[in-house]
Amino acid sequence: MEEFLNNLPKLAKDKHKENKTFFTKLKKRPPKQLDYLMQELHNNEFKKTDCLTCANCCKTTGPLFTDKDVQRIAKHFRQKPQQFIDSYLRLDEENDYVLQSVPCTFLGADNYCSIYDVRPKACAEFPHTDRKKFQQISNLTLKNVAICPAAFNIVEEMKKRVKL
């Protein structure tokens, strides 16, 4: 896994143009069964991918925290939402709450998340490859294939299965 992770940014960069072209076509004419296919590809990949051996998403990027996320996690810590914000978050250039720093504060040395049961929605849904209307998040997916080995594999398999 470590070797694949080390090569992932280069692999993603090498495939970027091909992927961008593919996603442009996908957006224009998404297949009728795309949501079902993506669910199948996502499920198949995550049967053989153990996020705990990787956690690259938690080590290299931070999620957006919605107001609901802030409320839920602050409650978990028995804090007021503003206390949680002051301790862990900052506003980014788009005025979204994000972590003050990466790797994620809540990631343990064993790759377990200390707030897993109340984690942000963005974390729970990552890498978003089983999302409905998948073609609408192609820009996000192009970024995620450079971070997440599972997303990379899912997109590669998708290109084999979807003929545009």
Side-chain angles (χ1 to χ4, degrees), residues 77-107:
F77 284 123
R78 294 184 173 92
Q79 292 180 323
K80 299 222 177 295
Q82 193 58 51
Q83 285 176 290
F84 175 75
I85 290 166
D86 293 344
S87 298
Y88 299 103
L89 306 180
R90 66 177 175 82
L91 283 173
D92 70 3
E93 32 311 313
E94 289 154 19
N95 250 7
D96 291 315
Y97 282 116
V98 295
L99 291 169
Q100 290 175 2
S101 62
V102 291
C104 179
T105 313
F106 307 111
L107 180 68

Side-chain angles (χ1 to χ4, degrees), residues 2-160:
E2 187 133 348
E3 188 178 333
F4 186 47
L5 260 182
N6 290 336
N7 294 327
L8 190 58
K10 184 184 180 332
L11 287 169
K13 188 177 181 197
D14 293 347
K15 297 274 188 181
H16 184 79
K17 189 174 180 182
E18 176 186 314
N19 289 347
K20 195 168 174 76
T21 301
F22 177 81
F23 283 123
T24 300
K25 290 178 183 175
L26 187 71
K27 260 186 179 174
K28 288 180 182 162
R29 291 202 0 243
K32 279 189 170 72
Q33 302 296 314
L34 183 62
D35 288 347
Y36 295 106
L37 174 65
M38 293 313 298
Q39 189 70 55
E40 178 190 335
L41 295 175
H42 177 91
N43 291 343
N44 288 346
E45 182 60 32
F46 281 98
K47 283 178 188 164
K48 58 188 176 191
T49 299
D50 178 10
C51 294
L52 292 173
T53 63
C54 178
N56 200 43
C57 51
C58 308
K59 293 173 184 172
T60 62
T61 62
L64 296 180
F65 286 73
T66 65
D67 289 339
K68 281 185 178 180
D69 293 333
V70 170
Q71 299 281 337
R72 184 178 61 256
I73 299 167
K75 184 177 177 186
H76 172 78
F77 284 123
R78 294 184 173 92
Q79 292 180 323
K80 299 222 177 295
Q82 193 58 51
Q83 285 176 290
F84 175 75
I85 290 166
D86 293 344
S87 298
Y88 299 103
L89 306 180
R90 66 177 175 82
L91 283 173
D92 70 3
E93 32 311 313
E94 289 154 19
N95 250 7
D96 291 315
Y97 282 116
V98 295
L99 291 169
Q100 290 175 2
S101 62
V102 291
C104 179
T105 313
F106 307 111
L107 180 68
D110 57 0
N111 286 346
Y112 276 86
C113 174
S114 64
I115 61 166
Y116 188 81
D117 292 336
V118 294
R119 69 194 184 281
K121 183 177 185 234
C123 297
E125 294 178 355
F126 191 84
H128 313 284
T129 47
D130 59 346
R131 184 162 148 181
K132 292 201 183 324
K133 297 185 180 169
F134 175 78
Q135 72 277 7
Q136 295 177 349
I137 60 161
S138 56
N139 289 342
L140 179 61
T141 303
L142 284 169
K143 290 177 186 169
N144 289 346
V145 296
I147 298 164
C148 176
F152 181 89
N153 292 339
I154 289 166
V155 169
E156 289 306 299
E157 188 60 31
M158 179 184 166
K159 289 187 299 189
K160 292 176 194 168

